[in-house]
Amino acid sequence: MARFSPGSLPVLVLFFSRIFLVPIALGSADVEEFSEELLLKPLSDRKVLAHFHFESQAPPSNSHGRHHHLFPKAISQLVQKFRVKEMELSFTQGRWNYERWGGFDPLSSMNTKPVGVELWAMFDVPLSEVDASWKNLTHSLSGLFCASINFLESSTSYASPTWGFRPNSDKLRYGSLPCEAVCTENLTPWLKLLPCRDKDGISALMDRPSIYRGFYHSQRLHLFTVDSGQEGLDSGIVLEQTLTVVLRPDSGSSKKQIQPSWTLSSLFGRKIFGSCVLAKSSNVYLQLEGLPVHELKSVDQELETNGLWKNAGFELSIEPDRVLQETNSFLFEFDIGEYNDSKPFDLGLTWKLPLKWSCGQAPLHASRFLMGSGNERGAIAISLKLTETYEKFSGGDLGDGPCTLQANIFQVFPWYIKVYYHTLQVFMDQQQRTVSEVVKNITVSPSTDKTSPGVMEMMLELPCRMKSAALSLEFDKGFLHIDEYPPDANQGFDIPSALISFPNHHARLVFHEETSNSPLLSKLKEKSPVRSYTEILLVPLTTPDFSMPYNVITITCTVFALYFGSLLNVLRRRVGEEERLLKSKGNKQGKLLQLLSRISAKIRGRPVESSSSEASSSVMSSNFLLKVMLVAGIAATWQYFSTYM
Amino acid sequence: MKILIFLALLCYLFACSSGETTIHTNNWAVLVCTSRFWFNYRHMANTLSLYRTVKRLGIPDERIILMLADDMACNARNEYPAQVFNNENHRLNLYGDNVEVDYRGYEVTVENFLRVLTGRHENAVPRSKRLLSDEGSHILLYMTGHGGDEFLKFQDAEELQSHDLADAVKQMKEKRRFKELLIMVDTCQAATLFNQLQSPGVLAIGSSLKGENSYSHHLDSDVGVSVVDRFTFYTLAFFERLNIYDNASLSSLFSSYDPRLLMSTAYYRTDLYQPHLEKVPVTNFFGSVMETIHTDSTYKAFSGRISDKINSDTLFSQRSQHGNSETLDNVEASNEIHELKTEKKQCPYTQMRRDLHERLEKLADVDTVVNLGIVTMLLLVAASTCLLT
């Protein structure tokens, strides 16, 4: 809004401009809007991707009296209280299969997330207050979403990346909890932010058991504020809620070549009974890749569009309202506003002919693993392999100069993984290279014990000709205090996923014709850098083991018992008396034995052998004296040491 | 004499707020499953069953603190994702669409448990994770897990001792965080956990005596583990028959436990609890049945509060009167709340208040009384300010 100086213009004009110009300047954005969309996409490995996208918008308003019709109050209070500029929270279970489900489309680069909880937020507060805001935000979110996000409040679990996570990450905090469980109690509060909850509209599809039976589910909440650029007005908020699920339809047909056919009710166990009445737009899209590209500019366009959704290869159960053509896929658009209880929307896709396609791949396929053994040290290796699609692509334009491929790696290490950054080794096609050859930029903030995690941001520049590259870093394993061990410490400790992003590669959908202004499609049309997350790693650390003290106690007790037992034996035992006793016993028995031997001798007819039992008592007594002296000597030295030491 | 009446009323108000005659205003539940790992599925099922029961009987989610030490519903070993069953017939999914877990996983520690009970949290902790009970609260504390003589294990790593529990309860009592507290524990040797309790208003039920084990009820071969403990199973069997309007008493719950079925002897500690168990309905703890008292004069009282202070005071004290054992119908039927209340309650002030009320009724010119009252109030205020300055 233009600023009028009150001196030059009458106050009345200012007054009117306030009233009339504000709505004009903001256009249609002065009312709260909500839209619900669902994108379905068969994947090449016989699974189906369902991507729910809900978007709520709150227009800028004055900060004192904000009244919401559609926008969730909990979120707007959060934004206002902690001055959040942008925030993203995701709950994920399962790992996105970049090779089979795609790594070069906007869906995968925006919506795939590391396992567990990931949270990042940018604040609009002075730099000194960012950490306090972050701490309070984590606590609030943990209360809101029934998760242990409050574990991110401790300074050991969050990091402040500089450039590796996002291009302009000023006052940004990033944290992730790889071992956090994700279940319905996280989804329910997320659904409660929607105006129709899960009662009506597209969100009614969310049958919990079928969602959580899937191979991958990622529930995401992304919000950012939109500056109104006017004084006295607070900024507006845009809230995107997405849920990405990968499901496997029950393939009734035994034919392995043909993709499984499915309907919405077979995937989710539910149907859509009309749209949420509060939504501005509610659409369902079906994206099919790998179809032969038709030229829509045909003579009989009616027949042509008909042939698109009902042909020899596959058939849709419902006629789409529109068909959008993208570079290598088709989007069928369905408006579900016209469906109701008596006429539910249950889209079905029936395949008739086998169809195979490959999905777009990120330039490099990244995987990360642990090396070394034992509880003392180890090494982390990140291996990057050039994917097939990129190989072809890069092979084409080798003509102009040295072709390079840029990749950024962002990695947070917990403090008990003490990484030695000087041990960074780079291998390219199995041959070691100098670090400076490949690593163009590296920012490291080393971890501090029990205070802060280590952050590594690295920019790699790899030649396109290479087939594979690997990086390795050595680390020492730290010791935790006994209180710091989780109850299931033997399971191991997680190292959060590393983020590999390709700043020079952008994934986007390019449509041949104008699309409606649906938030989902405009999101997909946006240029977004390709990113992929690696696996999380499980590091076994030394864990407190109480069998050790028990072993020590047992062994010491045995040693003591042996020592004192023999000592007592030596001191108390009367060897001479015992021998006398034995002798007398031997005499008693001897009579009987002599009698017996005599009898046997008589029988045999031989003279009796005189049993010579001459005990060398003199030898025994000297032996005994020696022993007594030995013990006395030991006792004397013991006494000496115990008194003088 | 009128000043005297006024002063007496003031005294009465102060006395009532001092806590002796606090009424039951709200219900809270703290449900704790302390065991981690998949083979302890039954402990989570126990807790979730109780969660479902108290929710069904009227305690809202924001007044339930649910602590689950592990994630069973979405555990990779669970054949039925996002579902938890407490019976092999699988008729009832305890992990429905509306479960709010307040503390879960590693958050379930002895420290957090004691913090919840005593209310000593960090400032940032959200309200949904706090036990915001007051002196009019009835709290149900249910715990299940593995235990032994005077201790209960948390996550197989820590122990809550009977002294800790007793200490926390004592602190709660001193901080006026509850009016009545029912502690229900399903663990081996549960009775020993109550040995150190001293605070009045505490009732304790344990599944087994010292030296006895608590056993699981049955195994679900589809889930692969035992799904419910015996004590909880028979507790639930008792509650399944009830709805929110039932008047089943605590003693009927206690007598429903059969040692032969439980394979252990349920233990009740009642010496700290004054009311007769025959007269206390189970919904006092396991549900939230709030009495609604219909008065025609509510709005009148609020609008005329300034001009008619004495009357509004009387009305306030009437509304703060509260009998525990009446049913809703009873209250609705009775238009003469005064008489009903005064009969039921033996508050020492009630008699005086009734006398005052009768005298006020007899007075012909109420307006003069009111005016005089205001004048005396002004005088009192003036005098106090003079004294202070």
Side-chain angles (χ1 to χ4, degrees), chain A residues 227-439:
Chain A
D227 255 345
S228 55
Q230 293 165 55
E231 277 184 33
L233 276 186
D234 227 20
S235 43
I237 314 168
V238 179
L239 171 71
E240 286 168 22
Q241 289 173 265
T242 64
L243 175 74
T244 313
V245 211
V246 175
L247 303 166
R248 179 154 67 189
D250 299 325
S251 50
S253 65
S254 55
K255 277 176 267 179
K256 281 283 170 202
Q257 299 87 7
I258 297 184
Q259 290 271 335
S261 306
W262 49 263
T263 58
L264 275 185
S265 53
S266 78
L267 283 180
F268 293 100
R270 293 184 187 177
K271 296 169 185 169
I272 301 178
F273 295 100
S275 62
C276 169
V277 283
L278 297 167
K280 195 188 74 175
S281 65
S282 37
N283 295 323
V284 174
Y285 299 93
L286 175 70
Q287 189 182 14
L288 288 181
E289 282 181 329
L291 296 183
V293 178
H294 287 270
E295 276 301 317
L296 270 173
K297 304 276 187 306
S298 159
V299 189
D300 197 348
Q301 202 165 348
E302 187 74 16
L303 192 78
E304 191 67 34
T305 37
N306 231 13
L308 267 175
W309 64 275
K310 198 182 254 183
N311 55 28
F314 67 94
E315 194 183 322
L316 300 182
S317 65
I318 296 165
E319 186 184 344
D321 295 320
R322 275 179 83 189
V323 182
L324 302 165
Q325 197 178 357
E326 204 256 332
T327 343
N328 48 14
S329 65
F330 282 96
L331 250 84
F332 300 93
E333 185 182 312
F334 302 90
D335 183 10
I336 56 159
E338 59 202 73
Y339 296 90
N340 51 37
D341 284 357
S342 53
K343 188 187 163 200
F345 178 80
D346 187 13
L347 178 66
L349 173 63
T350 317
W351 293 97
K352 293 173 186 162
L353 289 175
L355 182 72
K356 278 205 165 178
W357 68 90
S358 61
C359 47
Q361 300 279 318
L364 296 170
H365 178 251
S367 60
R368 195 179 58 161
F369 44 89
L370 278 177
M371 299 194 296
S373 62
N375 279 341
E376 259 185 284
R377 56 184 68 91
I380 291 183
I382 299 175
S383 111
L384 303 161
K385 273 189 197 138
L386 205 67
T387 48
E388 283 172 29
T389 43
Y390 193 74
E391 229 169 292
K392 281 180 216 150
F393 168 69
S394 64
D397 54 356
L398 269 180
D400 47 337
C403 154
T404 54
L405 175 66
Q406 196 184 328
N408 291 350
I409 300 178
F410 170 66
Q411 166 81 71
V412 178
F413 296 104
W415 66 263
Y416 42 82
I417 303 297
K418 295 169 180 169
V419 181
Y420 296 116
Y421 294 98
H422 71 274
T423 60
L424 175 67
Q425 284 181 313
V426 183
F427 296 88
M428 209 182 285
D429 294 328
Q430 278 86 46
Q431 282 176 356
Q432 192 169 356
R433 302 294 177 94
T434 53
V435 172
S436 56
E437 211 175 322
V438 175
V439 179

Side-chain angles (χ1 to χ4, degrees), chain A residues 396-540:
Chain A
D397 54 356
L398 269 180
D400 47 337
C403 154
T404 54
L405 175 66
Q406 196 184 328
N408 291 350
I409 300 178
F410 170 66
Q411 166 81 71
V412 178
F413 296 104
W415 66 263
Y416 42 82
I417 303 297
K418 295 169 180 169
V419 181
Y420 296 116
Y421 294 98
H422 71 274
T423 60
L424 175 67
Q425 284 181 313
V426 183
F427 296 88
M428 209 182 285
D429 294 328
Q430 278 86 46
Q431 282 176 356
Q432 192 169 356
R433 302 294 177 94
T434 53
V435 172
S436 56
E437 211 175 322
V438 175
V439 179
K440 292 299 155 202
N441 190 359
I442 180 164
T443 312
V444 162
S445 80
S447 58
T448 324
D449 272 9
K450 301 176 189 191
T451 315
S452 67
V455 186
M456 182 184 79
E457 290 154 290
M458 204 191 275
M459 187 194 282
L460 304 178
E461 219 166 73
L462 303 160
C464 301
R465 286 169 197 278
M466 64 119 210
K467 290 271 183 291
S468 68
L471 302 157
S472 82
L473 280 164
E474 287 174 21
F475 64 85
D476 268 3
K477 297 180 186 177
F479 286 105
L480 273 75
H481 190 259
I482 191 142
D483 298 340
E484 290 161 348
Y485 283 98
D488 53 352
N490 293 306
Q491 186 203 324
F493 292 77
D494 296 287
I495 302 182
S497 295
L499 171 68
I500 318 279
S501 54
F502 305 95
N504 295 338
H505 293 82
H506 295 277
R508 59 184 291 207
L509 295 186
V510 184
F511 293 101
H512 290 190
E513 58 257 71
E514 268 299 299
T515 53
S516 55
N517 52 355
S518 100
L520 172 63
L521 290 188
S522 51
K523 201 82 204 162
L524 294 178
K525 280 194 287 184
E526 257 176 38
K527 264 182 139 186
S528 60
V530 177
R531 344 164 89 202
S532 61
Y533 284 92
T534 63
E535 316 68 348
I536 54 170
L537 293 176
L538 201 60
V539 187

Side-chain angles (χ1 to χ4, degrees), chain A residues 52-119:
Chain A
F52 295 85
H53 183 107
F54 305 97
E55 192 165 315
S56 315
Q57 290 182 354
S61 66
N62 53 359
S63 47
H64 306 297
R66 178 170 277 186
H67 181 71
H68 295 294
H69 300 281
L70 296 173
F71 198 81
K73 194 177 156 198
I75 295 295
S76 76
Q77 280 179 343
L78 207 77
V79 170
Q80 276 192 323
K81 194 171 175 194
F82 305 118
R83 318 273 315 146
V84 181
K85 228 154 92 188
E86 193 169 358
M87 183 190 98
E88 188 174 5
L89 170 68
S90 67
F91 296 89
T92 310
Q93 280 297 302
R95 208 162 68 77
W96 182 265
N97 191 335
Y98 287 97
E99 280 163 314
R100 289 179 163 190
W101 302 344
F104 201 85
D105 52 327
L107 263 184
S108 74
S109 59
M110 277 193 291
N111 297 299
T112 59
K113 288 284 160 194
V115 178
V117 169
E118 189 203 50
L119 172 72

Side-chain angles (χ1 to χ4, degrees), chain B residues 2 307-308 310-311 363-374:
Chain B
K2 278 158 191 166
S307 63
D308 203 349
I310 297 170
N311 276 349
L363 280 173
D365 44 354
V366 186
D367 286 337
T368 46
V369 177
V370 171
N371 290 336
L372 275 170
I374 288 166

